[in-house]
Amino acid sequence: MIRQIIKIDEEKCTGCGICVTACHEGAIAMVDGKAKLIRDDYCDGLGNCLPACPTGAITFEEREALPYDEAAVMANMQQAEEARAQAAKLTIAGPVQGGGHSCGCPGSRSKTIQRSSQDTAAANQPSQVPQSQLRQWPVQIKLVPVNAPYFDGANLLIAADCCAFAYGNFHQEFIRNRITLVGCPKLDDVDYTEKLTAIIANNNIKSMMVVRMEVPCCGGIEHAAKRALQASGKFIPWQVVTISTDGRIVE
């Protein structure tokens, strides 16, 4: 059907994400750092997002589009609310800051790793053995606590665990100055969305980078991170980097 619907000018969009928050229906999402209309049937055409846009990147247009599906919108809003409620539950039930995982395993005990300026200088010297840039432990998504001091003001790296083996300079280019979470949705056989939603919703995360392999099964970690960011109700800068199996950045 022909109806009024919003249009987003990518050239004018600065990726501030204000429109994502203004659109309660969930029709807009951030994709590769730009606002996108992801569901025609979620857009009611009323334009609550228009005055929210500081650059005037959003306008109206009349075009062929799916009719507004109020039932689907309500279901989506309910799902997002349930995700936020579950994130709150995980926070309450999760491990105490710095106290480790509920299983009591010493290898799961949460800690911050301090990196000195000498470590950084040594890492930049070709003659030196490369230094680890890891800033916290644990790193596995399944083991990391929902709340930890190192999440405060963190630049978050969510990476498929094969990436560090495929890409030779992974520590310097990706782990450095970031808090690192790794996992493999195929081997873990779990959806990370719930845990990542809790981490993003309940901590002051400054940015999010997802690094994945080019293989299709690795898309699970990217999709989980994107769904978690949307369910958290927050806007933070984010990007996705894809690494080939022969160790090249391809995206």
Side-chain angles (χ1 to χ4, degrees):
M1 63 178 294
I2 303 293
R3 69 181 186 93
Q4 181 171 274
I5 198 166
I6 66 158
K7 180 181 180 180
I8 302 175
D9 187 337
E10 288 191 24
E11 295 293 325
K12 292 183 178 180
C13 177
T14 60
C16 70
I18 298 174
C19 59
V20 177
T21 303
C23 180
H24 301 298
E25 293 78 15
I28 306 173
M30 298 302 297
V31 178
D32 294 334
K34 295 283 187 177
K36 302 275 189 181
L37 177 62
I38 58 171
R39 292 285 298 261
D40 283 6
D41 57 336
Y42 282 11
C43 179
D44 58 13
L46 298 178
N48 289 337
C49 54
L50 266 72
C53 180
T55 64
I58 305 175
T59 56
F60 282 124
E61 66 174 344
E62 288 197 359
R63 63 170 174 83
E64 184 73 32
L66 292 172
Y68 175 62
D69 189 339
E70 185 175 4
V73 168
M74 294 303 293
N76 182 59
M77 293 173 71
Q78 179 65 28
Q79 185 179 12
E81 182 59 35
E82 289 173 357
R84 283 190 286 271
Q86 184 61 32
K89 285 182 183 178
L90 285 172
T91 302
I92 295 170
V96 178
Q97 286 191 5
H101 198 255
S102 58
C103 69
C105 171
S108 302
R109 188 169 300 143
S110 177
K111 67 177 180 180
T112 300
I113 302 171
Q114 299 294 337
R115 296 291 173 193
S116 67
S117 57
Q118 287 82 4
D119 288 337
T120 302
N124 291 328
Q125 295 297 321
S127 60
Q128 299 291 328
V129 175
Q131 298 294 307
S132 170
Q133 295 299 310
L134 194 64
R135 301 179 66 194
Q136 99 289 343
W137 186 266
V139 296
Q140 288 289 337
I141 297 172
K142 291 178 68 175
L143 298 180
V144 75
V146 169
N147 289 104
Y150 48 72
F151 281 132
D152 185 30
N155 295 302
L156 192 63
L157 170 65
I158 302 171
D161 49 18
C162 291
C163 294
F165 296 95
Y167 192 72
N169 204 29
F170 195 79
H171 272 251
Q172 283 298 311
E173 292 190 35
F174 295 111
I175 294 180
R176 187 177 182 183
N177 296 325
R178 294 187 176 95
I179 294 301
T180 304
L181 305 181
V182 303
C184 176
K186 185 173 183 178
L187 296 182
D188 284 343
D189 193 24
V190 66
D191 185 352
Y192 297 127
T193 303
E194 192 173 278
K195 183 71 172 285
L196 293 176
T197 299
I199 290 171
I200 296 169
N202 292 283
N203 294 282
N204 177 29
I205 305 296
K206 290 172 58 179
S207 69
M208 182 179 80
M209 173 181 282
V210 181
V211 183
R212 52 162 293 185
M213 298 297 296
E214 63 179 342
V215 294
C217 60
C218 222
I221 200 164
E222 176 183 344
H223 296 151
K226 289 179 178 178
R227 288 194 301 268
L229 183 56
Q230 186 173 19
S232 73
K234 292 185 175 181
F235 167 73
I236 59 175
W238 62 274
Q239 67 179 114
V240 177
V241 177
T242 302
I243 295 175
S244 68
T245 52
D246 61 356
R248 295 174 294 109
I249 294 177
V250 296
E251 189 175 310

